[in-house]
Amino acid sequence: QLQLVESGGGLVQPGGSLRLSCAGSGFTLDDYAIGWFRQAPGKEREGVSCISRSGLSTNYLDSVKGRFTISRNNAKNTVYLQMNTLIPEDTAIYYCVRVRRDIITACTPTGSWGQGTQVTVSS
């Protein structure tokens, strides 16, 4: 079965950094575009960043541009989300998921949701 497992979340102070990892199992990750989504309490799930199969194309939510960087290492079947200069509004559960390949127009999930990883930004 196609499985994605998120890790790397935690509790950090404002201005801190975290790197999230999304590891694939049972398939070759470079066959798929991948997106990071997040859901905060009382909020709708939103797309944070998406990356193409090759890693050459990316997009970002406006509020994280300049602070977050998505990347992938296909040899390790892993996609990363480097999060810098974190603010309390970044607090959410973060999920990775397969998305449609046309990521420039939209990040549209096509896979199933896993457990996610909790990110909490608080002083």
Side-chain angles (χ1 to χ4, degrees):
Q1 296 182 348
L2 302 180
Q3 298 285 339
L4 293 175
V5 180
E6 304 94 339
S7 63
L11 173 63
V12 297
Q13 294 185 343
S17 298
L18 287 171
R19 188 179 75 162
L20 306 184
S21 296
C22 172
S25 179
F27 66 100
T28 302
L29 196 62
D30 65 6
D31 285 340
Y32 302 94
I34 300 293
W36 284 98
F37 290 71
R38 68 185 182 186
Q39 188 165 27
K43 300 290 186 179
E44 185 175 330
R45 182 182 288 132
E46 63 182 352
V48 177
S49 183
C50 292
I51 189 167
S52 65
R53 293 183 298 160
S54 67
L56 296 177
S57 297
T58 60
N59 61 26
Y60 296 91
L61 184 67
D62 284 344
S63 62
V64 309
K65 287 181 179 178
R67 300 189 297 117
F68 291 10
T69 303
I70 191 170
S71 63
R72 66 191 304 159
N73 186 333
N74 287 335
K76 295 184 176 181
N77 263 2
T78 304
V79 173
Y80 304 97
L81 185 67
Q82 179 67 47
M83 306 186 296
N84 298 326
T85 319
L86 285 161
I87 59 176
E89 290 76 14
D90 296 320
T91 296
I93 301 176
Y94 284 71
Y95 305 87
C96 65
V97 67
R98 289 172 286 134
V99 300
R100 289 181 57 176
R101 294 180 178 179
D102 55 336
I103 66 167
I104 301 302
T105 57
C107 293
T108 303
T110 61
S112 59
W113 302 100
Q115 296 299 307
T117 186
Q118 177 72 52
V119 172
T120 303
V121 185
S122 177
S123 59

